[in-house]
Amino acid sequence: MPETTNAPRPPWRPCLQPRAVVEGDASTIRATMRLAEKANRHGPHDAVLHNVAVGYREPQRIETGDGLPHVFAVNTLAPFILAALIETPKRLVYLSSGLHRNASVDLDDITWEKRRWDGTEA
């Protein structure tokens, strides 16, 4: 049956029409800061969804322009920079995989300089 103008709309329907989608590079600190500036030009925000991740297919430790592991810069540092610099939304949502469930944490080697590289754990 076709939708009529009098039919009630599902409450989630406005979520399907975002005001803005911001894409950009999150592999360096400066690029992530520019990404936050870009997002702020579209604010204020009802919700910000972080969907930034790389890594499990990286066969070796790749360094960014900041000298940090690519996986650390994008998966860990970028979400914190974005959360700190984007004007505070009503909702902040982080999307992630379940890879963290099988990873081991070594705070003495957070940037994977001492351990043998494993993209699924990094």
Side-chain angles (χ1 to χ4, degrees), residues 29-43:
I29 294 169
R30 183 67 205 135
T32 305
M33 292 171 71
R34 282 194 301 269
L35 188 56
E37 291 168 4
K38 191 175 174 182
N40 283 333
R41 286 195 290 269
H42 296 284

Side-chain angles (χ1 to χ4, degrees), residues 21-98:
V21 174
V22 178
E23 297 177 352
D25 182 8
S27 66
T28 66
I29 294 169
R30 183 67 205 135
T32 305
M33 292 171 71
R34 282 194 301 269
L35 188 56
E37 291 168 4
K38 191 175 174 182
N40 283 333
R41 286 195 290 269
H42 296 284
H45 306 288
D46 290 326
V48 172
L49 284 77
H50 289 278
N51 188 19
V52 177
V54 295
Y56 74 97
R57 291 187 177 165
E58 291 187 5
Q60 70 225 16
R61 183 181 185 276
I62 300 168
E63 282 196 6
T64 66
D66 296 317
L68 298 168
H70 186 242
V71 172
F72 176 77
V74 174
N75 295 8
T76 305
L77 190 56
F80 283 103
I81 292 171
L82 292 170
L85 297 180
I86 292 176
E87 295 171 15
T88 307
K90 294 176 185 176
R91 288 175 223 68
L92 187 56
V93 179
Y94 292 92
L95 303 178
S96 69
S97 70

